[in-house]
């Protein structure tokens, strides 16, 4: 496949993102339709099935309007991943993970997240590919994905006052989770290997706890 085969055509002002000011109710509804249309197309045909014109038609917005919200296909798919993580986070908050230690709770949470993505592999593959292809113009959207992942992990730890070392461990765990998604989607790791890797890296949470916490 050519090196630039994944690149997508962007609007002439592709450096722009949607307005920083809060969206009106009507704009938010339009954005929601766009994200839902993107997810549907990706679920049916993966990364290549998400074409901006088809997304516009499916969400009933003008193509130019779509580009004002999302300057490119990559922007759109990364935003879709952030949206999917938001829904997952809300679900996890309603049913917090079980486990005696922070490491067990985080591992359980991330495996629940993994299984949620596993149920829709084409959508998962499309979102992760977009995250991999994203350049600096998509940095704001990518940052939101990693912030949401970090928030999910921190909630799972149930730690009132995590240490700087534990916060560093959370970031490493987040990076590892995204990496295991890539290796699984590319067929280079089994589900069992993913689970083992997640459990191993989550032990960092307990290993970086203050000595007293480890003894209690």
């Amino acid at each position: 496949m050519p090196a630039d085969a994944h690149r997508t055509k962007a609007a002439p002002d592709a450096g722009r993102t949607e307005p920083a000011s809060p969206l009106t109710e009507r704009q938010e509804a339009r954005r929601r339709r766009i994200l839902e249309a993107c997810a549907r197309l990706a679920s049916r045909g993966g990364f290549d099935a998400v074409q901006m014109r088809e997304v516009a038609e499916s969400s009933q917005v003008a193509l130019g309007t779509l580009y004002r919200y999302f300057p490119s296909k990559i922007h759109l798919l990364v935003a879709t991943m952030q949206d999917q993580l938001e829904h997952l986070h809300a679900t996890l908050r309603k049913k917090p993970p079980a486990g005696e230690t922070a490491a067990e709770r985080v591992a359980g949470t991330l495996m629940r997240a993994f299984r949620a993505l596993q149920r829709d592999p084409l959508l998962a593959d499309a979102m992760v590919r977009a995250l991999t292809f994203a350049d600096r113009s998509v940095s704001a959207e990518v940052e939101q994905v990693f912030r949401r992942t970090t928030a999910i992990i921190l909630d799972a730890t149930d730690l009132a006052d995590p240490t700087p070392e534990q916060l560093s461990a959370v970031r490493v765990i987040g990076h590892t989770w995204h990496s295991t998604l890539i290796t699984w989607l590319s067929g280079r790791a089994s589900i069992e290997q993913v689970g083992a890797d997640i459990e191993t890296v989550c032990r960092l949470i307990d290993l970086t706890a203050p000595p007293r916490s480890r003894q209690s």
Side-chain angles (χ1 to χ4, degrees):
M1 185 173 71
D4 61 348
H6 63 267
R7 294 178 185 171
T8 55
K9 182 179 179 182
D13 54 353
R16 293 174 50 191
T17 56
E18 56 184 292
S21 57
L23 299 179
T24 65
E25 185 176 340
R26 183 177 180 181
Q27 289 171 329
E28 184 57 48
R30 185 182 297 130
R31 185 178 187 275
R32 168 61 41 205
R33 293 202 309 274
I34 292 170
L35 292 172
E36 290 173 351
C38 177
R40 282 196 305 272
L41 289 168
S43 293
R44 295 170 186 166
F47 183 84
D48 292 334
V50 179
Q51 300 297 325
M52 297 298 270
R53 187 170 296 280
E54 280 77 7
V55 172
E57 291 176 356
S58 181
S59 58
Q60 298 181 322
V61 302
L63 185 59
T65 300
L66 172 59
Y67 275 118
R68 285 198 296 274
Y69 281 82
F70 303 101
S72 74
K73 168 178 171 174
I74 300 299
H75 286 80
L76 175 55
L77 277 167
V78 174
T80 299
M81 184 170 192
Q82 200 268 341
D83 185 62
Q84 295 289 315
L85 287 173
E86 281 186 7
H87 286 295
L88 175 64
H89 197 181
T91 299
L92 291 168
R93 280 174 168 166
K94 292 177 182 177
K95 189 177 180 181
E100 294 184 3
T101 67
E104 290 174 353
R105 292 190 294 274
V106 173
T109 291
L110 292 181
M111 288 310 296
R112 281 171 64 183
F114 181 83
R115 286 190 288 272
L117 293 171
Q118 185 185 5
R119 289 192 288 270
D120 202 339
L122 290 178
L123 173 59
D125 180 67
M127 295 187 300
V128 172
R129 284 177 66 183
L131 196 67
T132 304
F133 296 152
D135 58 21
R136 289 186 178 183
S137 71
V138 200
S139 60
E141 289 82 356
V142 171
E143 178 65 17
Q144 288 300 313
V145 166
F146 282 98
R147 281 180 179 273
R148 180 60 60 175
T149 303
T150 298
I152 289 172
I153 295 171
L154 278 173
D155 274 7
T157 68
D158 197 27
L159 298 174
D161 189 20
T163 66
E165 290 78 12
Q166 287 176 315
L167 291 175
S168 179
V170 165
R171 290 191 293 272
V172 173
I173 291 168
H175 293 314
T176 301
W177 184 70
H178 285 285
S179 295
T180 57
L181 280 178
I182 293 171
T183 56
W184 175 73
L185 287 166
S186 64
R188 294 183 287 118
S190 66
I191 296 174
E192 292 73 22
Q193 288 172 319
V194 168
D197 289 351
I198 291 298
E199 288 182 4
T200 298
V201 74
C202 285
R203 294 187 191 125
L204 287 174
I205 289 289
D206 295 337
L207 291 173
T208 52
R212 288 184 181 178
S213 298
R214 283 183 239 166
Q215 293 171 0
S216 60

